[in-house]
Amino acid sequence: MNGEALYSFAEEQLVEPVRLAIVGAGYWGPNLLRVATELPQAHVEFVCDVRPDALQAVARRYPAPRLTTEFDDVIAAEDVDAVVIATPPSTHRTLCLAALEAGKHVLVEKPLATSVRDAQTLVAAAERTGVLLMPGHTFLYSPSVNVVRDLIQAGELGDLYFISMSRVNLGLHQADVSVAWDLGPHDFSILRYWLDEVPSMVSAFSRSCVTDVADVMFVSLEFPSGTIAHAELSWLAPSKLRRTTVVGSEKMVVYDDTSNEPVRIFDSGVVLANPSTFGEYQLAYRAGDVVSPRVAVTEPLMLELADFCLSITRGSKPRSSIEVGLDVVRMCDAADRSARARRPRRPEPLDARATT
Ligand SMILES: NC(=O)c1ccc[n+]([C@@H]2O[C@H](COP(=O)([O-])OP(=O)(O)OC[C@H]3O[C@@H](n4cnc5c(N)ncnc54)[C@H](O)[C@@H]3O)[C@@H](O)[C@H]2O)c1
């Protein structure tokens, strides 16, 4: 599915828009507010933030919604069907639980929660109250990510050997979670979406360079299918990289979210020819065409919010499902545990006899 199919579903009109409250008006909340304001399927009733200055900034651009510093006002409001939560990850459990128990549908920004236990608590609360709980995994709505997924699912890349991902820049250090929980959910949700499986093993190295929170992490993942993946996550890098290389037996793909050619398909590879004598092997290298497919220009966040509203109205499951949210939390948790254990694999020192 490239961006066009996605676009038509965002355009679909509802009889009654879903009445929303946006909670958290820091860095990301205003993006959700902008998108919700433009989306025909949504109507913003409330914006909530504990910081009055954040609300003042909202009021200057969007005079219509009511503003409050009290989350209780939001969940008590009868004209609010659904709550969109864009607050720091450590607050997700408390806020989501209160909203779910008040019978509100919830879209919560990634990660769903900051522990597997908290995520399970939220899933159980949503099941009990019969409302929709959706994690905000925005990249599942990216046209580029969907182009690559289509290639993988159609078998065009062949046997998937490995995936290598870099998500680094001089980013905002989060106070409450490590870089695994902040940047990791993007790559982990993409991997799960592309491969339709969760890793059997995760190992990670990290370092807390600036504060006592890990700000760089190298995560290795092994999948039951045999595919291996590596994600380099960091808030400390001079230039922004959002680059993924997918290597298959037939073709290779570079997906670069910062490029104006975000997906490039390389008809390249190497084949091992049948040996004619024992001990002999011959490799045949292939470097064919490089194709840059057209990728629709559609804002993933708009599609994510449209999916949330349509799923509420239709009673259907959103693409960014609760199963995805839970699996991503399990992947972040495993990476963090491995990094804290400090010995994810048996580290080997350099051979001391060979010093220069
Ligand atoms: N999908 C994406 O691409 C994407 C991008 C950035 C951030 N995020 C996610 O969005 C969420 C918010 O991140 P951010 O960078 O905007 O954080 P932020 O710290 O800039 O903003 C959070 C806001 O929430 C407010 N807040 C905190 N506790 C509150 C409470 N109890 N009630 C109401 N308001 C409260 C804070 O005052 C602040 O204004 C995080 O979960 C983050 O992972 C997602």
Side-chain angles (χ1 to χ4, degrees):
M1 183 192 299
N2 93 358
E4 262 143 46
L6 287 162
Y7 190 67
S8 59
F9 106 79
E11 286 291 280
E12 195 173 322
Q13 298 283 326
L14 296 176
V15 181
E16 290 292 333
V18 176
R19 299 167 300 175
L20 299 177
I22 311 281
V23 182
Y27 163 64
W28 195 243
N31 289 327
L32 284 154
L33 177 57
R34 170 180 54 76
V35 163
T37 307
E38 289 171 14
L39 198 67
Q41 294 94 344
H43 188 264
V44 183
E45 300 288 344
F46 253 120
V47 178
C48 169
D49 198 296
V50 288
R51 290 191 297 121
D53 60 312
L55 293 178
Q56 279 158 17
V58 164
R60 280 194 291 276
R61 298 188 67 185
Y62 303 96
R66 285 167 284 165
L67 306 175
T68 180
T69 54
E70 300 297 323
F71 184 66
D72 286 348
D73 291 346
V74 168
I75 55 173
E78 288 188 2
D79 59 355
V80 168
D81 306 311
V83 177
V84 178
I85 295 178
T87 57
S90 57
T91 64
H92 289 180
R93 180 191 187 279
T94 307
L95 297 179
C96 287
L97 204 53
L100 293 170
E101 281 170 355
K104 310 293 186 196
H105 304 283
V106 173
L107 168 59
V108 56
E109 261 310 328
K110 58 82 192 165
L112 171 61
T114 52
S115 73
V116 175
R117 179 186 286 216
D118 285 355
Q120 283 169 327
T121 301
L122 296 181
V123 173
E127 276 168 9
R128 200 172 56 243
T129 53
V131 292
L132 176 67
L133 171 61
M134 172 174 159
H137 290 299
T138 318
F139 280 93
L140 272 49
Y141 299 88
S142 150
S144 305
V145 167
N146 280 280
V147 166
V148 179
R149 184 176 194 258
D150 287 351
L151 290 167
I152 293 172
Q153 304 253 316
E156 288 208 28
L157 308 188
D159 182 19
L160 278 193
Y161 291 152
F162 71 88
I163 299 175
S164 165
M165 313 172 110
S166 291
R167 189 173 296 276
V168 305
N169 63 312
L170 202 53
L172 287 175
H173 275 68
Q174 304 295 319
D176 59 341
V177 286
S178 76
V179 72
W181 293 91
D182 182 45
L183 299 182
H186 294 313
D187 292 315
F188 299 158
S189 61
I190 292 172
L191 285 171
R192 188 197 181 280
Y193 187 53
W194 280 350
L195 303 179
D196 268 339
E197 58 181 346
V198 289
S200 44
M201 198 64 78
V202 177
S203 62
F205 281 113
S206 71
R207 187 166 180 196
S208 308
C209 304
V210 177
T211 66
D212 56 359
V213 174
D215 43 21
V216 54
M217 192 175 289
F218 305 127
V219 188
S220 301
L221 309 100
E222 298 173 46
F223 289 85
S225 61
T227 304
I228 60 170
H230 184 261
E232 176 195 8
L233 309 168
S234 174
W235 295 319
L236 281 175
S239 50
K240 182 170 176 167
L241 285 184
R242 297 288 184 263
R243 190 183 155 95
T244 293
T245 305
V246 186
V247 174
S249 55
E250 300 300 318
K251 289 182 184 169
M252 306 178 183
V253 170
V254 173
Y255 155 48
D256 184 344
D257 210 41
T258 62
S259 167
N260 52 10
E261 281 186 352
V263 179
R264 288 193 303 148
I265 308 162
F266 295 74
D267 188 5
S268 306
V270 56
V271 242
L272 182 60
N274 279 337
S276 51
T277 57
F278 179 75
E280 177 208 51
Y281 68 88
Q282 284 189 339
L283 297 177
Y285 290 87
R286 188 166 39 80
D289 291 340
V290 182
V291 175
S292 174
R294 193 175 61 82
V295 177
V297 183
T298 313
E299 188 175 0
L301 194 61
M302 176 80 82
L303 298 168
E304 175 187 306
L305 200 61
D307 197 16
F308 178 58
C309 294
L310 291 169
S311 299
I312 291 171
T313 312
R314 296 176 179 153
S316 56
K317 185 190 277 201
R319 180 180 307 167
S320 181
S321 66
I322 196 60
E323 290 83 3
V324 175
L326 198 48
D327 284 342
V328 168
V329 167
R330 291 167 63 213
M331 291 161 83
C332 297
D333 167 68
D336 231 14
R337 270 189 292 119
S338 173
R340 275 187 277 110
R342 294 222 166 258
R343 284 183 183 271
R345 293 186 182 280
R346 195 178 68 178
E348 292 287 354
L350 299 189
D351 190 334
R353 291 168 302 177
T355 49
T356 51

